[in-house]
Amino acid sequence: MTVNFPPGFLWGAATAAYQIEGAAQEDGRTPSIWDTFSRTPGRTLGGDTGDVATDHYHRRAEDVRLMAELGLGAYRFSVSWPRVQPTGRGHASQPGLDFYRALVDDLLDRGIRPVLTLYHWDLPQELESAGGWPERGTAHRFADYAHLVAEALGDRVELWTTLNEPWCSAFLGYGSGVHAPGRTDPVAALRAAHHLNLAHGLGAQALRAALPSRAQVSVTLNPAAVRGRTDSPEDRDAARRIDALATRIFTEPMLRGAYPADLLADTAGLTDWSFVHGGDPDVIQHPLDSLGINYYAPTVVSAATDNAPSREDGHAPADRSPWPGADRVAFHRAPGKRTAMDWSVDPTGLYELLTRFTREFPGLPLMVTENGAAYDDKPDGDGVVHDPERIAYLHAHLDAVRRALADGADVRGYFLWSLLDNFEWAYGYSKRFGAVYVDYATQARTPKSSARWYAQVVRTGHLPPY
């Protein structure tokens, strides 16, 4: 039998500016931390950079046509901060804003709802040189930037997201150093996490002040579906510790107005958290219209032993841990089939997260803002790209969303990651997440079989038998 999704369910696909736009030095754009990081030898696989990426800056109209052909109801994109505010402060760059005005107009002309993310990891390098996210002033600069973009696009964009995956910005960028800016300081990572929370609150305030009342404000997190390797008290405590660092460090201040006491206790040996100022919790706990959830794979942990692996956490190998205060936690490979990222295929984690947040934060609508998989896709002799593994992945995870809906979760939409193959951060161009295949030598776009399958789901609102 086919499975129906509710009327009005929002079907979309997602991208990020640095991963697709290219045009890194055009129309006044200045370097972001990812420009600096990717141009530093040894930081990315093969020395790949996003200088050209998939050239979306010049192929915008073609890409929007592709979205329309796939019948997408929404497109989640991010704005490049250094493209619209090159120094991270002061006046906006009109050519940069004009690109996003044209993108939004193209989307609306084709009946596609624009879903705008203000920050997907591309901090202007000038702000990083002034201290970056560990410095409080960066949060205030973000609020100014949010106001600029809202004034320019608020008459046409109704769905706004402040931050994408602040965990990655803080802990991969400043803890393990496998993401830009590549720093390895656990205290700086915790400071960055707080200032990202503060930036979210200040940015949300700035959006509310500049946007029409019909606009909706959200944030996108990548909460961890953490599982103890066993049900022992030691492994349950390891799972609690990682849940605090991965998930509750953001959800509790954003949605309850305070950091969890166990997180503060776990990290007391590193910091007294004096960087949290009076009044910060009230700013961070700004009312949200929805919460975005990104999910790829579960996290399996145990209490560390002398023989236990400690870095199988799904992120790029690093000498330094992105988990401050969790030195005695070991990470393990989750069972099951693997993607090209070596991540397990386990849709039960998505179901767990959707039902958990419905239970813990009743009345808050949810969106699955990223979900997808990388596989080693290649065109066949006729130029067709068959990716049955991705279809199986998407089917299983959409069925998890369907089950969560049936069990009472208020899920309003689903965004496939990603629309296009693109620059996959430290992995360069070696991992393909796209529903559309990109030949990086020619920039030719070819929808994969998964794109056609997803278009059928979007068109019918039904999940067909598999």
Side-chain angles (χ1 to χ4, degrees), residues 6 16 61 160 184 214 235 237 319 323 362 390 428-429 432 450 459:
W160 293 75
T184 55
R214 69 179 182 277
D235 288 1
D237 188 67
D319 293 332
W323 304 102
R390 183 173 288 104
Y429 296 98
R432 293 182 177 270
S450 62
R459 184 176 64 256

Side-chain angles (χ1 to χ4, degrees), residues 248-281:
R248 289 182 287 119
I249 191 171
F250 300 107
T251 57
E252 293 299 298
M254 287 182 181
L255 300 173
R256 299 195 197 279
Y259 285 100
D262 61 327
L263 170 71
L264 303 183
D266 291 342
T267 56
L270 295 170
T271 177
D272 61 2
W273 289 76
S274 58
F275 46 80
V276 179
H277 293 188
D280 285 1

Side-chain angles (χ1 to χ4, degrees), residues 75-421:
Y75 173 52
R76 178 176 176 255
F77 65 95
S78 75
V79 171
S80 168
W81 190 346
R83 191 179 298 287
V84 304
Q85 196 185 36
T87 65
R89 50 171 61 86
H91 297 295
S93 165
Q94 291 308 313
L97 286 175
D98 286 345
F99 169 75
Y100 296 106
R101 289 187 179 104
L103 171 62
V104 168
D105 288 346
D106 286 351
L107 293 169
L108 293 174
D109 286 346
R110 293 182 177 271
I112 302 169
R113 295 183 73 179
V115 181
L116 187 153
T117 298
L118 286 166
Y119 187 73
H120 200 132
W121 308 352
D122 49 359
L123 184 72
Q125 179 58 46
E126 188 165 321
L127 293 184
E128 171 59 25
S129 298
W133 285 114
E135 293 301 316
R136 187 177 183 85
T138 306
H140 291 276
R141 301 291 76 72
F142 176 78
D144 295 342
Y145 156 67
H147 192 268
L148 286 176
V149 180
E151 283 194 321
L153 298 174
D155 60 332
R156 281 161 286 184
V157 177
E158 294 184 358
L159 302 177
W160 293 75
T161 303
T162 53
L163 309 174
N164 179 82
E165 296 186 357
W167 185 88
C168 294
S169 298
F171 295 106
L172 299 183
Y174 294 91
S176 65
V178 298
H179 277 194
R183 290 161 61 178
T184 55
D185 179 344
V187 176
L190 292 168
R191 290 175 61 92
H194 173 64
H195 293 139
L196 283 154
N197 279 331
L198 183 62
H200 158 72
L202 292 169
Q205 288 181 347
L207 291 177
R208 299 284 190 199
L211 294 174
S213 59
R214 69 179 182 277
Q216 298 181 30
V217 177
S218 180
V219 66
T220 283
L221 306 178
N222 57 322
V226 188
R227 298 167 180 173
R229 195 180 192 192
T230 74
D231 196 39
S232 71
E234 294 80 10
D235 288 1
R236 287 201 305 269
D237 188 67
R240 175 205 60 76
R241 191 177 291 261
I242 296 306
D243 183 66
L245 281 167
T247 300
R248 289 182 287 119
I249 191 171
F250 300 107
T251 57
E252 293 299 298
M254 287 182 181
L255 300 173
R256 299 195 197 279
Y259 285 100
D262 61 327
L263 170 71
L264 303 183
D266 291 342
T267 56
L270 295 170
T271 177
D272 61 2
W273 289 76
S274 58
F275 46 80
V276 179
H277 293 188
D280 285 1
D282 290 337
V283 173
I284 294 168
Q285 192 188 13
H286 189 89
L288 294 177
D289 296 299
S290 65
L291 175 67
I293 294 176
N294 294 353
Y295 173 81
Y296 293 94
T299 301
V300 179
V301 299
S302 71
T305 67
D306 290 342
N307 297 320
S310 60
R311 297 290 157 79
E312 294 280 350
D313 63 358
H315 304 292
D319 293 332
R320 302 292 292 273
S321 170
W323 304 102
D327 295 340
R328 297 300 298 166
V329 174
F331 292 82
H332 304 271
R333 284 167 59 91
K337 295 179 179 179
R338 322 297 294 182
T339 71
M341 294 289 288
D342 199 31
W343 296 344
S344 71
V345 179
D346 188 344
T348 64
L350 179 56
Y351 172 86
E352 290 171 8
L353 290 172
L354 295 175
T355 53
R356 171 188 174 178
F357 284 113
T358 295
R359 187 171 59 251
E360 294 186 0
F361 306 106
L364 180 63
L366 306 175
M367 291 268 193
V368 179
T369 38
E370 286 185 27
N371 177 239
Y375 290 105
D376 295 325
D377 308 313
K378 296 178 178 63
D380 65 14
D382 296 322
V384 178
V385 184
H386 295 287
D387 56 342
E389 293 173 309
R390 183 173 288 104
I391 293 174
Y393 180 100
L394 295 176
H395 188 284
H397 286 76
L398 283 171
D399 187 56
V401 176
R402 189 274 313 165
R403 290 191 295 112
L405 282 163
D407 289 341
D410 186 7
V411 187
R412 302 289 180 88
Y414 176 93
F415 289 79
L416 168 68
W417 185 270
S418 173
L419 176 69
L420 303 167
D421 290 336

